[in-house]
Amino acid sequence: MKTTSPRAVAPSRTAPPRHFLDLAEIDAGTLRRMINLAAHYREGAAPEALRHPLAGRTLAMIFEKPSTRTRVSFQVGMQQLGGEVVVLSHQDTQLGRGETIADAARVLSRYVDILMIRTFDPATLHELADHASVPVINGLTDETHPCQVMADIATFEQHLGPIEGKVVTWTGDGNNVAQSWIEAAPKFGFEMRLACPEGLEPNAEIVAAARKAGGSIVLGSDPEALVDGADCVVTDTWLSMHDTDTDRSNLLMPYQVNRRLMSRAKPTALFMHCLPAHRNEEVTDEVMDGPQSVVWDEAENRLHAQKAIMVWCMGKIS
Ligand code: CP
Ligand code: NVA
């Protein structure tokens, strides 16, 4: 793992806003610097100039879906960086009565310095970014969850060192979190394997783009074969917040992470889950509470990773 100390840089006054929308759009060196800074925040080792660099700045968060971790970790992270936070829920604002996201972007940009949105359609995120004059951060869409995967990579490296050349296996629904993992693979140089049932495979365009960018993406439907020798096993809920099906248990039970499946991975392998977990559905209590599980570190690393993301968005690191 590169441990060079992050350096504060003077922000440009004329550059377009630095949005954090998807991992595929951000160059590998920038993502690496954010992960390194996240580790410095976790270890209390950030340089003085990057401890409270957002004093006097305000983050507004728009939530169209529920959240515990994203809401609290962004709020606490911004406060630790010296800034303030405004939380907006869709139904309590004029967005809920039909004000366009473009107009809201223009107005909110006059009040605050960063916008974070958790929404359904990725088009809403992009419309916000297109019309905002301040940085926009993706706090989850139906398609991706990049802040989560930045925290996950920080967690992997906290426990096992550099992720480059390692093997991560996703088992279950090829959902938004899985798709950000796929986008991360070419950026950080690890092999990404996904075991998903028919009909719940990740988006083919995201897979093709990651492969085109040099990512090693292995797709299949046999969790045992794909977990074999993995350094990290990851899963998520059977039903995401945007899903309209009511029951996928028959389809997804064979993809459950249990002791038998974990035993196929390396003995040193980690278990990760973005949370919230549905215990004894996608993961057994035994694995979730077992020695290979790093889910609480993963939740903590949301805080450190998002601090680094906000500091980058505000031009305080290159
Ligand atoms: N993992 C995650 O994004 O959690 P929340 O839905 O609680 O924000
Ligand atoms: N895939 C889940 C992630 C929750 C953080 C969802 O979208 O509901």
Side-chain angles (χ1 to χ4, degrees):
M1 194 178 342
K2 265 178 80 180
T3 54
T4 49
S5 286
R7 281 182 305 112
V9 296
S12 160
R13 287 180 181 283
T14 52
R18 282 180 170 180
H19 300 308
F20 186 84
L21 304 183
D22 276 309
L23 301 181
E25 294 170 3
I26 301 174
D27 73 83
T30 301
L31 294 174
R32 169 48 64 197
R33 286 189 288 280
M34 289 184 209
I35 293 290
N36 290 353
L37 179 56
H40 280 85
Y41 281 130
R42 187 180 60 240
E43 289 153 17
E48 184 56 40
L50 293 175
R51 286 193 191 157
H52 311 289
L54 302 191
R57 306 295 192 145
T58 303
L59 163 73
M61 298 196 276
I62 304 169
F63 285 98
E64 293 183 358
K65 293 174 178 170
S67 166
T68 299
R69 281 144 286 269
T70 303
R71 180 188 302 258
V72 178
S73 57
F74 265 108
Q75 173 133 15
V76 171
M78 187 58 170
Q79 287 164 350
Q80 289 182 1
L81 292 169
E84 311 269 341
V85 181
V86 178
V87 184
L88 305 166
S89 73
H90 191 256
Q91 65 271 24
D92 295 341
T93 65
Q94 297 289 8
L95 283 168
R97 295 184 57 252
E99 184 168 25
T100 69
I101 198 85
D103 288 348
R106 295 179 182 107
V107 171
L108 292 171
S109 295
R110 301 289 178 105
Y111 301 138
V112 305
D113 303 283
I114 314 182
L115 291 165
M116 193 236 57
I117 185 166
R118 167 166 284 195
T119 187
F120 291 85
D121 187 346
T124 306
L125 167 76
H126 289 280
E127 197 182 348
L128 187 72
D130 287 347
H131 295 92
S133 55
V134 300
V136 171
I137 297 174
N138 177 356
L140 178 146
T141 69
D142 297 359
E143 192 171 82
T144 55
H145 195 2
C147 292
Q148 179 66 54
V149 172
M150 290 294 278
D152 294 355
I153 287 166
T155 308
F156 184 103
E157 297 199 336
Q158 176 183 1
H159 289 274
L160 295 181
I163 195 167
E164 188 174 357
K166 299 293 200 315
V167 175
V168 176
T169 299
W170 178 277
T171 171
D173 179 19
N175 66 13
N176 43 9
V177 180
Q179 291 180 166
S180 281
W181 268 107
I182 292 169
E183 293 191 347
K187 302 292 176 179
F188 291 95
F190 59 88
E191 179 175 310
M192 187 69 215
R193 302 180 189 164
L194 298 103
C196 308
E198 199 183 326
L200 294 179
E201 299 96 342
N203 179 311
E205 284 174 28
I206 291 178
V207 173
R211 285 181 172 150
K212 194 169 169 211
S216 172
I217 314 293
V218 180
L219 301 182
S221 55
D222 180 349
E224 303 235 341
L226 290 163
V227 164
D228 198 44
D231 296 284
C232 181
V233 179
V234 196
T235 193
D236 190 9
T237 176
W238 289 344
L239 285 168
S240 285
M241 290 181 274
H242 61 274
D243 285 322
T244 48
D245 327 21
T246 48
D247 186 9
R248 290 175 173 168
S249 47
N250 288 342
L251 204 54
L252 284 164
M253 188 51 104
Y255 296 80
Q256 182 190 64
V257 184
N258 48 38
R259 189 165 51 151
R260 188 177 44 78
L261 187 63
M262 275 311 284
S263 73
R264 300 289 297 249
K266 283 190 183 154
T268 50
L270 306 175
F271 168 71
M272 289 202 205
H273 189 310
C274 64
L275 307 180
H278 300 77
R279 285 168 173 266
N280 302 309
E281 290 187 7
E282 71 271 9
V283 58
T284 57
D285 280 340
E286 197 176 21
V287 171
M288 178 98 170
D289 300 325
Q292 289 169 280
S293 172
V294 290
V295 298
W296 316 123
D297 289 338
E298 214 183 331
E300 180 189 324
N301 278 318
R302 293 292 302 277
L303 171 66
H304 309 304
Q306 289 158 193
K307 285 170 72 177
I309 291 166
M310 289 190 283
V311 163
W312 173 77
C313 285
M314 294 307 297
K316 303 290 183 186
I317 58 167
S318 60

